[in-house]
C-alpha cells in the first residue's frame, strides 16, 4: 500500500514539474494599459514592439482583436474574468503608478 502511495506521489510531483516548466517556456499575455494615447516619448518604442506583445488598451479595437486572437484563438471577447478596457478606464485610481523611464 505504501509503495503505491509513494509511486503516485512521485508521479504527481513529476507532472507538476513538467507543467510548471512548460508554463515558463510559453509567452505570457500582456496586461492592460489604462492610457488611450501614449506619450510621444514612448510611442516609437511601442511601435517597434510586435503587436502581439503590446499591452491591451481601451478603444484600440484592431490591436486588441489581434492579441485576443493570438493568445485565445478567437477574436471575439469572451467573459473569462479578464478586465475590459472600460473597467480599466473607470478604475484608474486602483492601477499602479507609472514611472517615468529615462527621465
Amino acid at each position: 500500500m505504501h509503495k503505491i502511495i509513494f509511486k503516485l506521489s512521485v508521479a504527481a510531483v513529476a507532472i507538476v514539474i513538467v507543467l510548471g516548466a512548460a508554463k515558463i517556456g510559453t509567452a505570457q499575455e500582456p496586461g492592460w494599459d489604462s492610457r488611450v494615447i501614449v506619450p510621444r516619448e514612448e510611442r516609437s518604442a511601442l511601435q517597434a514592439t510586435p503587436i502581439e506583445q503590446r499591452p491591451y488598451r481601451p478603444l484600440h479595437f484592431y490591436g486588441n482583436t489581434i492579441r485576443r486572437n493570438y493568445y485565445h484563438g478567437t477574436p471575439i471577447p469572451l467573459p473569462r474574468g479578464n478586465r475590459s478596457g472600460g473597467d480599466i478606464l473607470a478604475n484608474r485610481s486602483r492601477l499602479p503608478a507609472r514611472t517615468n523611464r529615462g527621465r
Side-chain angles (χ1 to χ4, degrees):
M1 180 69 172
H2 293 298
K3 289 182 181 181
I4 293 173
I5 293 174
F6 177 75
K7 287 181 182 181
L8 289 175
S9 299
V10 170
V13 169
I15 289 171
V16 168
I17 290 172
V18 168
L19 292 176
K23 177 107 177 153
I24 291 170
T26 59
Q28 292 190 3
E29 183 175 359
W32 277 90
D33 187 352
S34 64
R35 301 174 298 177
V36 176
I37 299 173
V38 176
R40 187 171 292 171
E41 302 85 32
E42 297 178 34
R43 196 170 299 151
S44 61
L46 186 64
Q47 289 173 345
T49 305
I51 197 165
E52 295 88 5
Q53 296 173 4
R54 297 178 193 175
Y56 290 96
R57 290 173 36 206
L59 306 177
H60 287 252
F61 303 107
Y62 176 76
N64 293 345
T65 301
I66 297 295
R67 284 181 282 282
R68 202 170 22 253
N69 191 42
Y70 181 79
Y71 289 103
H72 299 285
T74 179
I76 301 168
L78 300 174
R80 295 186 179 187
N82 293 337
R83 294 174 64 185
S84 68
D87 292 341
I88 294 296
L89 283 175
N91 297 321
R92 275 190 162 179
S93 62
R94 296 189 337 194
L95 293 173
R98 294 239 174 247
T99 58
N100 291 329
R101 294 181 201 122
R103 286 189 182 186

